[in-house]
Amino acid sequence: MRTKNEQESVRSKIRQLLSRGKTQHQISEIMKILLDKTNTIVQPLKEESKVNIQKYVNEELLAQYETTELSQIIDLTWHSIDKACN
């Protein structure tokens, strides 16, 4: 039985391998663990990734989009004011 730190270390290594595009079968071979165990670890990591991506899109990208739109409106406003004053 692995300690909590060892389990987290395995998850971290699997997360790294996934981010490098390795398949679950390749990860199983690299980590020298059963494919079933790899799949058991990978599934929650995939769900976690989906949640993180949704959060990023909904919060970060939306904020960037809104900021960009606001900047464009401000720029257009100043441009219009400059034209009106000249």
Side-chain angles (χ1 to χ4, degrees), residues 33-84:
I33 55 178
L34 295 174
L35 185 57
D36 287 346
K37 183 65 176 169
T38 302
N39 294 340
T40 300
I41 295 170
V42 166
Q43 288 306 75
L45 293 176
K46 284 185 175 183
E47 288 302 315
E48 179 183 320
S49 292
K50 286 180 188 177
V51 169
N52 288 338
I53 289 169
Q54 284 177 328
K55 183 177 179 182
Y56 174 75
V57 168
N58 291 335
E59 294 174 7
E60 298 296 323
L61 286 183
L62 184 59
Q64 288 177 15
Y65 174 78
E66 289 172 349
T67 301
T68 300
E69 288 295 311
L70 183 58
S71 293
Q72 289 174 346
I73 292 168
I74 291 169
D75 288 344
L76 286 171
T77 302
W78 281 112
H79 181 69
S80 296
I81 290 169
D82 287 344
K83 278 177 86 173

